[in-house]
Amino acid sequence: MNNADNIRLTVLTPQQTVFDGMVEKVELPGDGGRFMVLKNHAPIISSLSAGYVTYTSQGRQERIGIEVGFVRVNENEVVVCAEV
């Protein structure tokens, strides 16, 4: 999959940038339940609960544990601000 088919994911904490790169999809632990973001997802802002931000990059699935946070999705860019 080339970068034109991907979305940019940035995961930030108060201390550092945990991840910044192109991914194929992202699953997030929303307060109302887990949800997935794919390319061309509608813009949203959502609070996040404790759980895992799971993403697929170059066919490999990775995950980052978070305690609480929020996410902004807009124009194929996903920015997560969270405590880990």
Side-chain angles (χ1 to χ4, degrees), residues 7-43:
I7 54 180
R8 173 166 296 283
L9 171 63
T10 305
V11 180
L12 306 168
T13 71
Q15 295 80 25
Q16 66 184 352
T17 300
V18 177
F19 180 84
D20 185 20
M22 302 303 287
V23 301
E24 295 145 25
K25 63 182 176 180
V26 182
E27 290 183 62
L28 300 150
D31 281 343
R34 289 192 64 78
F35 65 96
M36 182 180 294
V37 176
L38 299 170
K39 184 174 172 104
N40 298 324
H41 194 286

Side-chain angles (χ1 to χ4, degrees), residues 1-78:
M1 189 170 274
N2 66 37
N3 280 348
D5 295 329
N6 292 346
I7 54 180
R8 173 166 296 283
L9 171 63
T10 305
V11 180
L12 306 168
T13 71
Q15 295 80 25
Q16 66 184 352
T17 300
V18 177
F19 180 84
D20 185 20
M22 302 303 287
V23 301
E24 295 145 25
K25 63 182 176 180
V26 182
E27 290 183 62
L28 300 150
D31 281 343
R34 289 192 64 78
F35 65 96
M36 182 180 294
V37 176
L38 299 170
K39 184 174 172 104
N40 298 324
H41 194 286
I44 61 166
I45 294 176
S46 176
S47 54
L48 300 174
S49 299
Y52 291 98
V53 174
T54 306
Y55 61 91
T56 303
S57 179
Q58 298 179 355
R60 293 184 49 206
Q61 190 175 58
E62 304 285 340
R63 67 184 191 169
I64 300 168
I66 66 167
E67 294 299 318
V68 66
F70 65 92
V71 62
R72 179 191 64 143
V73 178
N74 192 35
E75 296 183 2
N76 294 315
E77 182 177 42
V78 178

